[in-house]
Amino acid sequence: MATARNDVARQIHPGSGRKPGRNLPRGRQVDADSLEEVQALLGQQPRRRDLLIEFLHLLQDRYRCLHARHLTALAQEMKLALVEVYEVASFYAHFDIVMDGEEVPPPVTVRVCDSLSCALFGAEKLLADLPVAVGTGVRVTRAPCMGGCHNAPVVSVGHALHEHATVASVVDAVTQGGHAAPPAFSDLDAYRAAGGYRLLESCLAGKTTVETMLKTLDDAQLRGLGGAGFPTGRKWRAVLAEKAPRLMAVNGDEGEPGTFKDRVYLETDPHRFLEGMLIAAWVVEAPEVYIYLRDEYPHVREILLVELPKLEAAGLSRHTKIHLRRGAGAYICGEESAMLESIEGKRGLPRHKPPYPSQVGLFGRPTLINNIETLFWVRDIVEKGPAWFESHGRRGRKGPRSFSVSGRVKSPGVKLAPAGVTVRELIDEYCDGMLDGHVFKGYLPGGASGGILPASMADLPLDFGTLEQHGALIGSAAVVVLSDQDNMRDVALNLLKFFEDESCGQCTPCRVGTEKAVHLMAERTWNAELLTELAKVMTDSSICGLGQAAMNPVKMVLKHFPKDVS
């Protein structure tokens, strides 16, 4: 009888709060059909909080959006408050929340990258022309960097990258469904045939000691190549010194405009990175490893979904369990602590430090965090020796560096060059010079947050510690080359709009400061005094590197290109 009364109450008072005479909880009610659909999608997977974003992806992929009714059902299924589910779903750009009565997004979404390199090669024209060309049933929207800067302009059709895009080629891709097959790469069999995983097997068999591994990395002076440049051996030692159990997280969320080196290594030689990762997990005795991969690389995810089970079947990952986690379109999650929050199924809000992730990291455990390229070099350094690694370098710098070069050069791409190389040498020796009709004017040495330097400073060695005195950073070595046909005012405004969109909103200096900067920079003449004051406040008081470095392009343009903003 009670069940019958509840059913009648739901029909009469759907979604009502608890009031006298009503047998319903407060808030939006769960309907049986939505709950059944959610349960079917989740299957037998555990309803853990850290899987929330993965479950949101399942819903987004299946229904092209996140219906409010499904979010309500998901909250009940995971025993979470609806607000917890909603705040996570609304944080990430790749989730579309649809409330009752709202229209579902069209069957196909075309995202056009409007970050700097793509803007240089016609992104705005694509954004203007595509809505008419693709017709009804297709949504065209702006999107931040997709890691295809060397193949600009770039769009995603559905969830597949489409590079060197034209209106005609995008229309064809939409007609064909948008899917792109994974590129050719070195799979497990090919990698092992070339000597791969022998070093890992030596470690697991006890033939190579932990101290030998750490000393080799110290001697080679391998540093974190995601941007911070912290010595790798020292980081591994610091984590190992903490109380077990320890965890490991891999940062594969290279969202810095101009950066695509990790993508290239993952889509060509993924097992070289995976071997380095498994060795690192062995060194710090991490029973679990989490790979956080940006959602803009669906083809890489397909590769890993095929190759990771092969590692387990071959017994090569017997010392640790590998989890592959999918980002959802948030640049801030490239910041290490924000990435940890996202892996835990939360909004990607940077944490206050200290404590550092090596002390209190993922799920509160000491956590080793490395980026893709750092781990990619581990095998080669140990097998070939530190002297081999150090033999690459110019002007007293040590090691090879992977430069993501895009912009006004004839041959953009990932250029493996010696540390200490100059941008002039990169352009002339590695990129076949400037594009015809373009005269070198300036460059970004380290992506959007690394500042902008003039051509007169093209002979500075590019490496950690060489650019800071000039107000710039090497970061992840994303070099964007600019010419006399580029206005530095427009370049800086493009970069600040990116930071404005990607600010997580947690701290006032960054949230309000980036918006204020964009407003000031849109004026015909820049207020240099006010922008300089704003830059100081943001640099000194923002929680994380996004707000601290966001104004670097503005400061550099004011200093080196005053004619472009007066």
Side-chain angles (χ1 to χ4, degrees), residues 232-394:
T232 302
R234 192 192 309 174
K235 178 184 283 190
W236 290 17
R237 288 181 189 276
V239 175
L240 186 58
E242 297 292 329
K243 183 179 178 180
R246 310 171 196 95
L247 299 174
M248 181 177 178
V250 178
N251 193 336
D253 195 61
E254 57 170 2
E256 182 82 5
T259 309
F260 47 88
K261 59 186 177 65
D262 289 351
R263 168 196 167 180
V264 170
Y265 287 133
L266 285 169
E267 67 186 13
T268 56
D269 198 4
H271 283 281
R272 195 171 300 270
F273 144 68
L274 290 171
E275 183 170 10
M277 179 191 76
L278 290 171
I279 289 171
W282 168 77
V283 167
V284 301
E285 301 172 3
E288 294 184 273
V289 178
Y290 291 79
I291 303 174
Y292 189 85
L293 182 68
R294 67 181 312 210
D295 200 32
E296 288 82 355
Y297 294 167
H299 58 294
V300 173
R301 185 169 178 270
E302 289 184 36
I303 290 172
L304 294 178
L305 286 174
V306 170
E307 297 301 308
L308 290 177
K310 293 181 183 179
L311 289 181
E312 185 176 359
L316 294 169
S317 60
R318 59 185 181 274
H319 59 298
T320 191
K321 180 176 178 59
I322 304 172
H323 304 269
L324 178 60
R325 291 297 174 83
R326 181 178 170 187
Y331 164 75
I332 191 62
C333 291
E335 196 277 335
E336 61 177 10
S337 64
M339 176 191 68
L340 297 181
E341 290 288 298
S342 190
I343 291 174
E344 292 179 2
K346 305 172 186 175
R347 293 177 295 167
L349 301 181
R351 300 173 179 176
H352 291 272
K353 301 173 186 177
Y356 296 96
S358 60
Q359 302 165 309
V360 181
L362 192 58
F363 307 119
R365 304 306 312 168
T367 303
L368 173 64
I369 301 175
N370 282 130
N371 95 304
I372 301 294
E373 191 197 355
T374 303
L375 299 169
F376 184 88
W377 289 113
V378 169
R379 173 194 165 191
D380 283 341
I381 288 173
V382 177
E383 290 185 346
K384 299 177 181 179
W388 165 82
F389 191 77
E390 289 189 311
S391 68
H392 298 78
R394 296 181 184 179

Side-chain angles (χ1 to χ4, degrees), residues 121-175:
F121 289 91
E124 291 301 325
K125 182 170 175 52
L126 281 175
L127 281 162
D129 295 345
L130 279 174
V132 175
V134 296
T136 59
V138 179
R139 175 177 58 168
V140 178
T141 185
R142 292 177 180 272
C145 187
M146 300 178 188
C149 318
H150 53 318
N151 297 322
V154 179
V155 306
S156 67
V157 179
H159 200 62
L161 286 183
H162 181 69
E163 300 173 294
H164 296 299
T166 64
V167 170
S169 67
V170 172
V171 171
D172 288 344
V174 169
T175 302

